[in-house]
Amino acid sequence: MKNLFRYFFMVIAISSIVFTSCKDDTDPTASVNPAETLMDYLIEIDMDLNHVLKNSDGQKFVMAAPDGGDVSGKYIIDIRNADAYNTSHIAGAHNVAFSDILTEAASADKPILVVCYTGQTACYATSLLRLYGYHDAQALKWGMSGWSESTAASWDNAIADLSDGHSNWSFDASEPSLGVYDIPEFSTTATEGVDILKERVEYIISQGFKGVEASDVLDSPASYFVNNYFNTTDYSAFGHVDGAYRLNPLLVSPGSSDEAGVSNIDPDKKVVTYCYTGQTSAVITAYLRVLGYDAYSLKFGMNKFANSSTAWSANQWRGDSNPKDLPLD
């Protein structure tokens, strides 16, 4: 009888282990990385990074100041400080702090045009506005610097040739091999993709623009995961930060083997993206921060590294790109 009871309790114990294990394997309440839920949702609503850079209507995230300065078809949000705005601004512009762009956007009765000093913070804001549902929001290219000679100082004072003769600047055409990493994790009170996205955008806006100085990256490139957002030709012709990757295009869900995905980004490093002007990299940086990456936009891009380079053909400040002489209030 004693052996029978011992056998009975052994069966119960084994059964408990088996059923508990099965339950753990299929438990629908098991924790899911919210970044994964968010990425799945972005794919579902067709808002991978390429459709933030250019929306479904083919409209880019940035627009140049129009000849004649007619932007009457836009709801202009000027996020410069009040002193700069009060000195001069585009007629009809609404001056608000960057942190208040969603509140102001809710009052917009036209497609939004965000304006700042150089276009960089405005592009950062535009990325977040598009993710929030304002898919036709745009930034003014070059910011107020491109609008008028009288407001061009922000770009004029920024251009440089930091890469000239620097030991960490390379013209090597070979690109480093990409690794594959886990996606980042972040905390959220939401569980559904739509709510996670809303909460993340609001949080990233509350943190303000995230940029990094070109000199810091050039002096210590190993401290960052550096993405050179150039095409293949410019990567070698213009030169690049030594060891920089070239993730272009960069997508949540790559469609082919020659496209880079966010899983190729090391989530344990500060992720720095640079482009030609710091404007495209600002869009990418805001998007990556929403996904949970510790991302930064390299300020002024190639125009800070090598503004005098003869390899330029487009987007060179005071080269092919100069301020206009448009009206100001």
Side-chain angles (χ1 to χ4, degrees):
M1 182 64 70
K2 188 181 293 184
N3 290 336
L4 181 61
F5 276 114
R6 185 181 294 120
Y7 176 76
F8 174 76
F9 285 117
M10 186 181 296
V11 170
I12 293 297
I14 293 172
S15 299
S16 176
I17 292 171
V18 170
F19 286 121
T20 301
S21 298
C22 291
K23 183 179 179 182
D24 287 344
D25 288 341
T26 60
D27 186 358
T29 64
S31 61
V32 175
N33 184 351
E36 183 177 349
T37 302
L38 175 56
M39 291 181 191
D40 288 344
Y41 178 67
L42 289 170
I43 298 306
E44 177 186 332
I45 63 172
D46 201 21
M47 285 297 285
D48 208 337
L49 180 55
N50 57 336
H51 288 150
V52 174
L53 292 168
K54 184 182 290 186
N55 66 21
S56 57
D57 294 327
Q59 183 187 55
K60 293 185 66 175
F61 65 90
V62 70
M63 63 165 277
D67 293 336
D70 183 8
V71 286
S72 58
K74 298 288 188 179
Y75 188 94
I76 305 169
I77 300 179
D78 187 328
I79 56 174
R80 296 175 301 154
N81 66 42
D83 287 344
Y85 173 84
N86 290 331
T87 298
S88 59
H89 58 266
I90 299 171
H94 305 264
N95 183 221
V96 299
F98 175 87
S99 58
D100 294 327
I101 58 173
L102 291 179
T103 302
E104 188 63 36
S107 300
D109 54 358
K110 303 173 186 178
I112 295 168
L113 179 65
V114 188
V115 177
C116 67
Y117 299 95
T118 65
Q120 295 172 96
T121 306
C123 285
Y124 194 88
T126 296
S127 180
L128 296 167
L129 286 169
R130 287 192 165 196
L131 283 170
Y132 208 74
Y134 300 97
H135 301 308
D136 55 1
Q138 290 181 291
L140 181 66
K141 187 173 184 179
W142 304 110
M144 288 303 292
S145 292
W147 189 265
S148 169
E149 281 283 356
S150 66
T151 51
S154 295
W155 263 106
D156 285 340
N157 294 335
I159 55 177
D161 293 293
L162 298 181
S163 68
D164 190 18
H166 200 290
S167 60
N168 289 331
W169 191 255
S170 172
F171 290 89
D172 187 353
S174 60
E175 302 170 19
S177 299
L178 296 175
V180 178
Y181 305 90
D182 292 334
I183 60 176
E185 296 188 22
F186 53 77
S187 298
T188 177
T189 61
T191 57
E192 300 296 325
V194 59
D195 300 317
I196 295 173
L197 177 59
K198 181 175 183 290
E199 186 176 286
R200 288 297 296 173
V201 170
E202 292 170 356
Y203 171 72
I204 298 307
I205 288 174
S206 74
Q207 300 301 295
F209 174 77
K210 295 294 182 179
V212 65
E213 299 296 334
S215 56
D216 292 340
V217 176
L218 193 56
D219 289 344
S220 183
S223 300
Y224 306 90
F225 181 98
V226 183
N227 180 28
N228 172 302
Y229 201 74
F230 288 2
N231 59 42
T232 303
T233 301
D234 290 350
Y235 182 82
S236 57
F238 285 23
H240 51 83
V241 175
D242 189 33
Y245 297 94
R246 198 188 64 79
L247 284 71
N248 181 6
L250 174 60
L251 301 167
V252 169
S253 181
S256 62
S257 59
D258 61 347
E259 292 179 333
V262 294
S263 62
N264 295 126
I265 298 175
D266 186 348
D268 295 326
K269 279 197 165 186
K270 289 185 176 181
V271 180
V272 174
T273 303
Y274 72 93
C275 61
Y276 305 96
T277 66
Q279 295 172 106
T280 301
S281 62
V283 173
I284 295 169
T285 296
Y287 191 94
L288 290 178
R289 291 195 74 85
V290 169
L291 297 183
Y293 291 92
D294 186 21
Y296 301 84
S297 180
L298 189 140
K299 298 176 184 178
F300 303 100
M302 189 66 181
N303 277 282
K304 193 72 170 184
F305 283 140
N307 176 259
S308 299
S309 171
T310 57
W312 284 92
S313 60
N315 293 314
Q316 183 184 33
W317 184 253
R318 293 295 182 181
D320 71 304
S321 300
N322 290 280
K324 296 183 179 179
D325 188 22
L326 299 176
L328 292 163
D329 268 12

mmCIF file of all heavy atoms in Angstrom, residues 11-46:
data_model
loop_
_atom_site.group_PDB
_atom_site.id
_atom_site.type_symbol
_atom_site.label_atom_id
_atom_site.label_comp_id
_atom_site.label_asym_id
_atom_site.label_seq_id
_atom_site.Cartn_x
_atom_site.Cartn_y
_atom_site.Cartn_z
ATOM 1 N N VAL A 11 3.145 10.082 -10.064
ATOM 2 C CA VAL A 11 2.377 10.349 -11.288
ATOM 3 C C VAL A 11 1.829 11.769 -11.264
ATOM 4 O O VAL A 11 1.878 12.501 -12.253
ATOM 5 C CB VAL A 11 1.248 9.321 -11.469
ATOM 6 C CG1 VAL A 11 0.319 9.759 -12.589
ATOM 7 C CG2 VAL A 11 1.821 7.948 -11.744
ATOM 8 N N ILE A 12 1.294 12.165 -10.104
ATOM 9 C CA ILE A 12 0.750 13.520 -9.974
ATOM 10 C C ILE A 12 1.851 14.565 -10.207
ATOM 11 O O ILE A 12 1.656 15.555 -10.911
ATOM 12 C CB ILE A 12 0.132 13.725 -8.576
ATOM 13 C CG1 ILE A 12 -1.111 12.842 -8.403
ATOM 14 C CG2 ILE A 12 -0.225 15.198 -8.366
ATOM 15 C CD1 ILE A 12 -2.235 13.168 -9.353
ATOM 16 N N ALA A 13 3.025 14.342 -9.637
ATOM 17 C CA ALA A 13 4.134 15.292 -9.783
ATOM 18 C C ALA A 13 4.581 15.420 -11.223
ATOM 19 O O ALA A 13 4.796 16.516 -11.734
ATOM 20 C CB ALA A 13 5.308 14.854 -8.897
ATOM 21 N N ILE A 14 4.721 14.253 -11.903
ATOM 22 C CA ILE A 14 5.140 14.264 -13.302
ATOM 23 C C ILE A 14 4.098 14.962 -14.162
ATOM 24 O O ILE A 14 4.418 15.782 -15.038
ATOM 25 C CB ILE A 14 5.400 12.833 -13.805
ATOM 26 C CG1 ILE A 14 6.619 12.244 -13.093
ATOM 27 C CG2 ILE A 14 5.605 12.816 -15.311
ATOM 28 C CD1 ILE A 14 6.839 10.767 -13.370
ATOM 29 N N SER A 15 2.840 14.682 -13.923
ATOM 30 C CA SER A 15 1.761 15.306 -14.692
ATOM 31 C C SER A 15 1.778 16.814 -14.522
ATOM 32 O O SER A 15 1.567 17.579 -15.464
ATOM 33 C CB SER A 15 0.406 14.740 -14.261
ATOM 34 O OG SER A 15 0.345 13.358 -14.496
ATOM 35 N N SER A 16 2.045 17.240 -13.293
ATOM 36 C CA SER A 16 2.083 18.678 -13.018
ATOM 37 C C SER A 16 3.180 19.359 -13.811
ATOM 38 O O SER A 16 2.991 20.430 -14.382
ATOM 39 C CB SER A 16 2.295 18.903 -11.513
ATOM 40 O OG SER A 16 2.434 20.270 -11.235
ATOM 41 N N ILE A 17 4.343 18.697 -13.862
ATOM 42 C CA ILE A 17 5.470 19.263 -14.617
ATOM 43 C C ILE A 17 5.152 19.343 -16.090
ATOM 44 O O ILE A 17 5.383 20.354 -16.751
ATOM 45 C CB ILE A 17 6.737 18.411 -14.385
ATOM 46 C CG1 ILE A 17 7.199 18.549 -12.939
ATOM 47 C CG2 ILE A 17 7.850 18.825 -15.342
ATOM 48 C CD1 ILE A 17 8.310 17.590 -12.566
ATOM 49 N N VAL A 18 4.572 18.286 -16.639
ATOM 50 C CA VAL A 18 4.243 18.242 -18.062
ATOM 51 C C VAL A 18 3.238 19.310 -18.424
ATOM 52 O O VAL A 18 3.413 20.078 -19.367
ATOM 53 C CB VAL A 18 3.721 16.846 -18.452
ATOM 54 C CG1 VAL A 18 3.150 16.876 -19.867
ATOM 55 C CG2 VAL A 18 4.819 15.804 -18.334
ATOM 56 N N PHE A 19 2.157 19.399 -17.627
ATOM 57 C CA PHE A 19 1.111 20.371 -17.951
ATOM 58 C C PHE A 19 1.586 21.806 -17.751
ATOM 59 O O PHE A 19 1.236 22.706 -18.504
ATOM 60 C CB PHE A 19 -0.149 20.120 -17.118
ATOM 61 C CG PHE A 19 -0.923 18.921 -17.587
ATOM 62 C CD1 PHE A 19 -1.181 17.848 -16.743
ATOM 63 C CD2 PHE A 19 -1.385 18.852 -18.899
ATOM 64 C CE1 PHE A 19 -1.887 16.747 -17.189
ATOM 65 C CE2 PHE A 19 -2.101 17.757 -19.342
ATOM 66 C CZ PHE A 19 -2.349 16.683 -18.491
ATOM 67 N N THR A 20 2.427 22.017 -16.739
ATOM 68 C CA THR A 20 2.966 23.359 -16.515
ATOM 69 C C THR A 20 3.862 23.776 -17.671
ATOM 70 O O THR A 20 3.803 24.902 -18.159
ATOM 71 C CB THR A 20 3.774 23.405 -15.202
ATOM 72 O OG1 THR A 20 2.923 23.047 -14.125
ATOM 73 C CG2 THR A 20 4.348 24.802 -14.969
ATOM 74 N N SER A 21 4.677 22.821 -18.143
ATOM 75 C CA SER A 21 5.563 23.127 -19.266
ATOM 76 C C SER A 21 4.763 23.465 -20.506
ATOM 77 O O SER A 21 5.054 24.411 -21.222
ATOM 78 C CB SER A 21 6.478 21.926 -19.551
ATOM 79 O OG SER A 21 7.289 21.654 -18.429
ATOM 80 N N CYS A 22 3.715 22.691 -20.773
ATOM 81 C CA CYS A 22 2.881 22.956 -21.948
ATOM 82 C C CYS A 22 2.219 24.306 -21.841
ATOM 83 O O CYS A 22 2.123 25.054 -22.812
ATOM 84 C CB CYS A 22 1.814 21.872 -22.099
ATOM 85 S SG CYS A 22 2.491 20.256 -22.554
ATOM 86 N N LYS A 23 1.781 24.648 -20.644
ATOM 87 C CA LYS A 23 1.120 25.934 -20.445
ATOM 88 C C LYS A 23 2.081 27.081 -20.717
ATOM 89 O O LYS A 23 1.732 28.067 -21.353
ATOM 90 C CB LYS A 23 0.578 26.023 -19.019
ATOM 91 C CG LYS A 23 -0.196 27.315 -18.751
ATOM 92 C CD LYS A 23 -0.738 27.327 -17.327
ATOM 93 C CE LYS A 23 -1.484 28.637 -17.073
ATOM 94 N NZ LYS A 23 -1.995 28.715 -15.690
ATOM 95 N N ASP A 24 3.344 26.943 -20.232
ATOM 96 C CA ASP A 24 4.329 28.006 -20.452
ATOM 97 C C ASP A 24 4.605 28.198 -21.930
ATOM 98 O O ASP A 24 4.826 29.314 -22.394
ATOM 99 C CB ASP A 24 5.629 27.675 -19.724
ATOM 100 C CG ASP A 24 5.497 27.843 -18.213
ATOM 101 O OD1 ASP A 24 4.517 28.488 -17.776
ATOM 102 O OD2 ASP A 24 6.370 27.329 -17.513
ATOM 103 N N ASP A 25 4.603 27.115 -22.698
ATOM 104 C CA ASP A 25 4.918 27.197 -24.120
ATOM 105 C C ASP A 25 3.827 27.894 -24.909
ATOM 106 O O ASP A 25 4.069 28.462 -25.964
ATOM 107 C CB ASP A 25 5.135 25.791 -24.705
ATOM 108 C CG ASP A 25 6.447 25.186 -24.215
ATOM 109 O OD1 ASP A 25 7.302 25.964 -23.747
ATOM 110 O OD2 ASP A 25 6.595 23.951 -24.308
ATOM 111 N N THR A 26 2.608 27.844 -24.425
ATOM 112 C CA THR A 26 1.489 28.365 -25.205
ATOM 113 C C THR A 26 0.768 29.506 -24.503
ATOM 114 O O THR A 26 -0.276 29.942 -24.963
ATOM 115 C CB THR A 26 0.485 27.239 -25.498
ATOM 116 O OG1 THR A 26 -0.007 26.717 -24.246
ATOM 117 C CG2 THR A 26 1.138 26.123 -26.288
ATOM 118 N N ASP A 27 1.335 29.976 -23.409
ATOM 119 C CA ASP A 27 0.657 30.990 -22.611
ATOM 120 C C ASP A 27 0.501 32.279 -23.400
ATOM 121 O O ASP A 27 1.479 32.938 -23.732
ATOM 122 C CB ASP A 27 1.479 31.257 -21.342
ATOM 123 C CG ASP A 27 0.762 32.197 -20.388
ATOM 124 O OD1 ASP A 27 -0.343 32.660 -20.730
ATOM 125 O OD2 ASP A 27 1.301 32.464 -19.301
ATOM 126 N N PRO A 28 -0.749 32.682 -23.683
ATOM 127 C CA PRO A 28 -0.953 33.893 -24.484
ATOM 128 C C PRO A 28 -0.592 35.161 -23.734
ATOM 129 O O PRO A 28 -0.491 36.227 -24.327
ATOM 130 C CB PRO A 28 -2.454 33.841 -24.814
ATOM 131 C CG PRO A 28 -3.060 33.059 -23.688
ATOM 132 C CD PRO A 28 -2.018 32.034 -23.332
ATOM 133 N N THR A 29 -0.413 35.059 -22.416
ATOM 134 C CA THR A 29 -0.072 36.253 -21.643
ATOM 135 C C THR A 29 1.437 36.409 -21.474
ATOM 136 O O THR A 29 1.894 37.307 -20.790
ATOM 137 C CB THR A 29 -0.732 36.188 -20.252
ATOM 138 O OG1 THR A 29 -0.184 35.075 -19.529
ATOM 139 C CG2 THR A 29 -2.235 36.036 -20.372
ATOM 140 N N ALA A 30 2.203 35.484 -22.067
ATOM 141 C CA ALA A 30 3.659 35.596 -21.970
ATOM 142 C C ALA A 30 4.110 36.927 -22.553
ATOM 143 O O ALA A 30 3.553 37.420 -23.523
ATOM 144 C CB ALA A 30 4.315 34.444 -22.716
ATOM 145 N N SER A 31 5.133 37.555 -21.941
ATOM 146 C CA SER A 31 5.560 38.890 -22.331
ATOM 147 C C SER A 31 6.085 38.909 -23.768
ATOM 148 O O SER A 31 6.800 38.006 -24.196
ATOM 149 C CB SER A 31 6.647 39.393 -21.381
ATOM 150 O OG SER A 31 7.771 38.556 -21.426
ATOM 151 N N VAL A 32 5.698 39.956 -24.505
ATOM 152 C CA VAL A 32 6.148 40.165 -25.869
ATOM 153 C C VAL A 32 6.886 41.493 -25.913
ATOM 154 O O VAL A 32 6.440 42.483 -25.331
ATOM 155 C CB VAL A 32 4.949 40.191 -26.850
ATOM 156 C CG1 VAL A 32 5.408 40.522 -28.257
ATOM 157 C CG2 VAL A 32 4.213 38.859 -26.822
ATOM 158 N N ASN A 33 8.023 41.528 -26.576
ATOM 159 C CA ASN A 33 8.769 42.766 -26.717
ATOM 160 C C ASN A 33 7.893 43.783 -27.448
ATOM 161 O O ASN A 33 7.508 43.574 -28.601
ATOM 162 C CB ASN A 33 10.056 42.498 -27.513
ATOM 163 C CG ASN A 33 10.939 43.725 -27.627
ATOM 164 O OD1 ASN A 33 10.547 44.834 -27.263
ATOM 165 N ND2 ASN A 33 12.130 43.534 -28.153
ATOM 166 N N PRO A 34 7.565 44.925 -26.805
ATOM 167 C CA PRO A 34 6.696 45.908 -27.468
ATOM 168 C C PRO A 34 7.293 46.471 -28.752
ATOM 169 O O PRO A 34 6.556 46.894 -29.642
ATOM 170 C CB PRO A 34 6.510 46.994 -26.410
ATOM 171 C CG PRO A 34 7.616 46.784 -25.436
ATOM 172 C CD PRO A 34 7.922 45.323 -25.435
ATOM 173 N N ALA A 35 8.627 46.472 -28.856
ATOM 174 C CA ALA A 35 9.257 46.940 -30.098
ATOM 175 C C ALA A 35 8.864 46.037 -31.263
ATOM 176 O O ALA A 35 8.650 46.512 -32.392
ATOM 177 C CB ALA A 35 10.769 46.987 -29.950
ATOM 178 N N GLU A 36 8.744 44.751 -30.998
ATOM 179 C CA GLU A 36 8.335 43.812 -32.040
ATOM 180 C C GLU A 36 6.886 44.064 -32.458
ATOM 181 O O GLU A 36 6.562 44.072 -33.648
ATOM 182 C CB GLU A 36 8.501 42.377 -31.538
ATOM 183 C CG GLU A 36 8.169 41.319 -32.574
ATOM 184 C CD GLU A 36 8.414 39.906 -32.064
ATOM 185 O OE1 GLU A 36 9.031 39.745 -31.001
ATOM 186 O OE2 GLU A 36 7.968 38.957 -32.753
ATOM 187 N N THR A 37 6.028 44.289 -31.466
ATOM 188 C CA THR A 37 4.624 44.608 -31.754
ATOM 189 C C THR A 37 4.533 45.891 -32.571
ATOM 190 O O THR A 37 3.753 45.984 -33.531
ATOM 191 C CB THR A 37 3.831 44.771 -30.441
ATOM 192 O OG1 THR A 37 3.928 43.572 -29.679
ATOM 193 C CG2 THR A 37 2.369 45.077 -30.717
ATOM 194 N N LEU A 38 5.333 46.891 -32.193
ATOM 195 C CA LEU A 38 5.326 48.165 -32.906
ATOM 196 C C LEU A 38 5.796 47.997 -34.343
ATOM 197 O O LEU A 38 5.181 48.535 -35.276
ATOM 198 C CB LEU A 38 6.217 49.168 -32.172
ATOM 199 C CG LEU A 38 6.425 50.526 -32.848
ATOM 200 C CD1 LEU A 38 5.094 51.212 -33.119
ATOM 201 C CD2 LEU A 38 7.335 51.410 -32.004
ATOM 202 N N MET A 39 6.868 47.260 -34.537
ATOM 203 C CA MET A 39 7.386 47.063 -35.892
ATOM 204 C C MET A 39 6.381 46.323 -36.762
ATOM 205 O O MET A 39 6.179 46.682 -37.932
ATOM 206 C CB MET A 39 8.718 46.317 -35.838
ATOM 207 C CG MET A 39 9.863 47.125 -35.254
ATOM 208 S SD MET A 39 11.433 46.199 -35.238
ATOM 209 C CE MET A 39 12.444 47.274 -34.214
ATOM 210 N N ASP A 40 5.734 45.326 -36.211
ATOM 211 C CA ASP A 40 4.696 44.598 -36.960
ATOM 212 C C ASP A 40 3.569 45.545 -37.358
ATOM 213 O O ASP A 40 3.051 45.473 -38.483
ATOM 214 C CB ASP A 40 4.135 43.449 -36.120
ATOM 215 C CG ASP A 40 5.116 42.293 -35.970
ATOM 216 O OD1 ASP A 40 6.096 42.236 -36.744
ATOM 217 O OD2 ASP A 40 4.907 41.455 -35.074
ATOM 218 N N TYR A 41 3.213 46.433 -36.455
ATOM 219 C CA TYR A 41 2.131 47.383 -36.731
ATOM 220 C C TYR A 41 2.537 48.373 -37.823
ATOM 221 O O TYR A 41 1.724 48.699 -38.712
ATOM 222 C CB TYR A 41 1.747 48.129 -35.459
ATOM 223 C CG TYR A 41 0.672 49.165 -35.673
ATOM 224 C CD1 TYR A 41 -0.626 48.792 -36.011
ATOM 225 C CD2 TYR A 41 0.965 50.522 -35.561
ATOM 226 C CE1 TYR A 41 -1.614 49.748 -36.231
ATOM 227 C CE2 TYR A 41 -0.017 51.479 -35.769
ATOM 228 C CZ TYR A 41 -1.304 51.089 -36.105
ATOM 229 O OH TYR A 41 -2.274 52.035 -36.327
ATOM 230 N N LEU A 42 3.766 48.858 -37.776
ATOM 231 C CA LEU A 42 4.229 49.803 -38.793
ATOM 232 C C LEU A 42 4.198 49.167 -40.183
ATOM 233 O O LEU A 42 3.857 49.836 -41.170
ATOM 234 C CB LEU A 42 5.641 50.285 -38.460
ATOM 235 C CG LEU A 42 5.742 51.232 -37.263
ATOM 236 C CD1 LEU A 42 7.193 51.446 -36.859
ATOM 237 C CD2 LEU A 42 5.073 52.574 -37.569
ATOM 238 N N ILE A 43 4.548 47.901 -40.269
ATOM 239 C CA ILE A 43 4.455 47.197 -41.546
ATOM 240 C C ILE A 43 2.998 47.066 -41.965
ATOM 241 O O ILE A 43 2.643 47.259 -43.133
ATOM 242 C CB ILE A 43 5.118 45.807 -41.439
ATOM 243 C CG1 ILE A 43 6.607 45.943 -41.101
ATOM 244 C CG2 ILE A 43 4.950 45.029 -42.749
ATOM 245 C CD1 ILE A 43 7.392 46.821 -42.028
ATOM 246 N N GLU A 44 2.143 46.750 -41.003
ATOM 247 C CA GLU A 44 0.712 46.567 -41.288
ATOM 248 C C GLU A 44 0.083 47.833 -41.862
ATOM 249 O O GLU A 44 -0.740 47.771 -42.772
ATOM 250 C CB GLU A 44 -0.005 46.173 -39.993
ATOM 251 C CG GLU A 44 -1.510 46.006 -40.114
ATOM 252 C CD GLU A 44 -2.175 45.761 -38.771
ATOM 253 O OE1 GLU A 44 -1.514 45.205 -37.861
ATOM 254 O OE2 GLU A 44 -3.356 46.146 -38.616
ATOM 255 N N ILE A 45 0.469 49.011 -41.344
ATOM 256 C CA ILE A 45 -0.114 50.267 -41.821
ATOM 257 C C ILE A 45 0.731 50.919 -42.910
ATOM 258 O O ILE A 45 0.515 52.074 -43.275
ATOM 259 C CB ILE A 45 -0.339 51.262 -40.661
ATOM 260 C CG1 ILE A 45 0.997 51.653 -40.000
ATOM 261 C CG2 ILE A 45 -1.302 50.680 -39.630
ATOM 262 C CD1 ILE A 45 0.874 52.780 -38.973
ATOM 263 N N ASP A 46 1.712 50.184 -43.432
ATOM 264 C CA ASP A 46 2.544 50.644 -44.538
ATOM 265 C C ASP A 46 3.330 51.911 -44.182
ATOM 266 O O ASP A 46 3.393 52.858 -44.955
ATOM 267 C CB ASP A 46 1.680 50.894 -45.782
ATOM 268 C CG ASP A 46 2.493 50.868 -47.071
ATOM 269 O OD1 ASP A 46 3.591 50.278 -47.065
ATOM 270 O OD2 ASP A 46 2.034 51.438 -48.081
#
